[in-house]
Structures are given as structure tokens and as C-alpha cells.
Amino acid sequence: MRRLYGLPRVSAIVELKETKMPKLKTKSGVKKRFKLTATGKVKHGVAGKRHRLISHNAKYIRQNRGTSVLADADVAHIKAWAPYGLK
């Protein structure tokens, strides 16, 4: 191999770069639909309250008002989809 005078060898130029783990993406639907409580539970809005409410009786509409806490079986999926937490 021919050496170019005045330039350092290729092995001396190698820089040590710090490797970083890639950032994880948050599912955008999870950001919009879920919130965390202070104790770490996951809150969500109840389903079936967007349209066609005339066909439901008053008890159904009244009981599905507001938000509710997600079941423990589903919390692991939501927290995996939001790796950096929910606001």
C-alpha cells in the first residue's frame, strides 16, 4: 500500500462515536385517547357516545358520561404504545 506523505494513516483517523439507542415512536392515537392518573392508572373516554344516541335509552347515555379507568388487562398494551408516558 502506498503511503501519502504529510497525511496521517487511515487507522489514526478513526473517530470513536458514541452509539445511542434509537428513539421509540408513540402511537398518535394513544396520545389523543388516553391520560394517566396520578396513581398511574389509565383513563379513557367511554365508547358509543359520538352519534346515534337517539336509539339508546337515557340510562345508557347517563351511565356512559365522562371518563372511566381502563381494565388492568389492557394497560400493558397502552403503556407499550406510549413508551415515554402520557400527558
Side-chain angles (χ1 to χ4, degrees):
M1 179 151 105
R2 212 172 114 192
R3 181 155 199 263
L4 299 175
Y5 292 101
L7 296 175
R9 288 192 172 171
V10 175
S11 62
I13 296 177
V14 174
E15 296 177 15
L16 296 175
K17 291 186 178 179
E18 184 178 339
T19 58
K20 293 183 181 178
M21 292 291 289
K23 292 181 178 178
L24 299 173
K25 288 199 170 183
T26 300
K27 297 273 187 184
S28 61
V30 171
K31 292 187 288 191
K32 299 170 192 173
R33 291 174 173 85
F34 300 99
K35 299 287 180 199
L36 279 180
T37 63
T39 57
K41 295 178 182 176
V42 179
K43 274 192 326 188
H44 70 97
V46 291
K49 289 280 291 194
R50 295 288 181 190
H51 53 83
R52 285 179 27 197
L53 293 175
I54 289 178
S55 61
H56 295 297
N57 57 17
K59 182 179 178 182
Y60 175 88
I61 295 170
R62 188 172 59 249
Q63 286 180 343
N64 287 323
R65 195 176 288 155
T67 58
S68 60
V69 177
L70 198 65
D72 292 335
D74 300 324
V75 170
H77 289 291
I78 301 303
K79 289 191 174 180
W81 291 333
Y84 301 111
L86 299 165
K87 290 185 179 180

